[in-house]
Amino acid sequence: MDPLQALAIIAAGLAAGTINTIVGSGTLVTFPTLLFFGYAPVSANISNSLGLVAGGFSGAWGYRHELRQVRSTLLALLPASLVGSVIGALLLLVLPESAFETIVPVLIALALVLVVTGPRLNRWAAGHHTDRLTRGRWIALLAGVVFTGVYGGYFGAAQGVLLIGLLGVLLPYGLQQLNGLKNACTLVANLVAALVFLVIEPAQIDWLVVLLIATGSLGGGFVGARVGRAMPPWLLRTVIVVIGTVAIVVLVT
């Protein structure tokens, strides 16, 4: 690997760590970058998942004050995210690579739709809050977190966007608290999926890529937690849509 390629992967990791902490969808930066440099899709996905765990830790640490405010809810949601991510990681390893190459463009397209429609979804969700969490809402919440965990364990792009939409509809918390919950749940999903990959399919891991992405994403998590809300949302969404479109083109050609 030449120095320019290594710097590009570190930069992608930095951007992904920042974006994941603020919104989610950081995989739409790192995954296409690895594809561009010729890495196989499944190997790129597994190495990317491992590398982004570092950014998940720094992003969740940056939201530690908000997480203390919703500690009981956090403890209830983390096991659901864990279960879902194990299922998703196993699906990635069990299904053939051809299935991954077919499914991922669809997932990216869905992620882009979610990124573009995110503000409208959040406005709609704001009108459906109540302070009382009924049993039915808890069941819906846990089922939704399991589903997003499966999605995150399999691929992960826009997992955070899915979670913010889900949590915003079902939980009566402010956006910063919801973002803290999102960061913690996605961290668990990515960490558990990474451990599954490490145990079952170590041959698919490119450790240099993992190190480069981890280096960038660790810093990105701190940056995202510190200045995330100051970034223009329209610009961030535009960048994600452009990069995601490139990923779809790379995968289907």
Side-chain angles (χ1 to χ4, degrees), residues 22-102:
I22 300 166
V23 180
S25 308
T27 293
L28 294 181
V29 177
T30 45
F31 185 67
T33 300
L34 295 179
L35 294 182
F36 176 80
F37 287 120
Y39 292 93
V42 172
S43 176
N45 187 41
I46 292 175
S47 301
N48 176 63
S49 295
L50 280 163
L52 290 179
V53 169
F57 275 109
S58 55
W61 175 257
Y63 275 86
R64 62 192 181 279
H65 299 298
E66 288 79 8
L67 288 173
R68 290 194 191 106
Q69 298 168 0
V70 292
R71 184 174 181 273
S72 60
T73 302
L74 174 66
L75 294 177
L77 296 183
L78 290 183
S81 186
L82 186 153
V83 170
S85 62
V86 170
I87 296 172
L90 292 176
L91 285 176
L92 176 65
L93 297 175
V94 170
L95 295 176
E97 186 165 320
S98 59
F100 180 84
E101 294 173 350
T102 302

Side-chain angles (χ1 to χ4, degrees), residues 203-245:
Q204 292 275 19
I205 301 170
D206 187 311
W207 285 107
L208 178 57
V209 169
V210 172
L211 176 62
L212 294 174
I213 292 179
T215 299
S217 69
L218 182 66
F222 287 119
V223 172
R226 190 174 183 84
V227 301
R229 297 196 70 184
M231 295 181 66
W234 66 267
L235 178 59
L236 183 60
R237 289 188 176 88
T238 300
V239 171
I240 293 172
V241 169
V242 170
I243 293 174
T245 302

Side-chain angles (χ1 to χ4, degrees), residues 49-199:
S49 295
L50 280 163
L52 290 179
V53 169
F57 275 109
S58 55
W61 175 257
Y63 275 86
R64 62 192 181 279
H65 299 298
E66 288 79 8
L67 288 173
R68 290 194 191 106
Q69 298 168 0
V70 292
R71 184 174 181 273
S72 60
T73 302
L74 174 66
L75 294 177
L77 296 183
L78 290 183
S81 186
L82 186 153
V83 170
S85 62
V86 170
I87 296 172
L90 292 176
L91 285 176
L92 176 65
L93 297 175
V94 170
L95 295 176
E97 186 165 320
S98 59
F100 180 84
E101 294 173 350
T102 302
I103 293 169
V104 166
V106 177
L107 296 180
I108 294 177
L110 174 61
L112 297 182
V113 171
L114 290 169
V115 169
V116 171
T117 60
R120 183 176 300 176
L121 177 62
N122 288 337
R123 287 194 297 271
W124 178 84
H128 291 73
H129 287 150
T130 64
D131 292 331
R132 181 169 174 266
L133 294 178
T134 63
R135 181 179 180 183
R137 289 178 68 188
W138 266 114
I139 292 174
L141 180 63
L142 293 175
V145 172
V146 169
F147 170 77
T148 56
V150 172
Y151 179 76
Y154 188 79
F155 182 51
Q159 179 190 2
V161 178
L162 285 168
L163 268 173
I164 283 288
L166 173 73
L167 300 176
V169 171
L170 296 173
L171 290 175
Y173 299 143
L175 181 59
Q176 292 291 0
Q177 294 166 321
L178 295 176
N179 209 28
L181 288 170
K182 178 266 293 181
N183 286 330
C185 287
T186 54
L187 167 61
V188 168
N190 291 337
L191 177 61
V192 172
L195 291 174
V196 171
F197 299 147
L198 183 62
V199 172

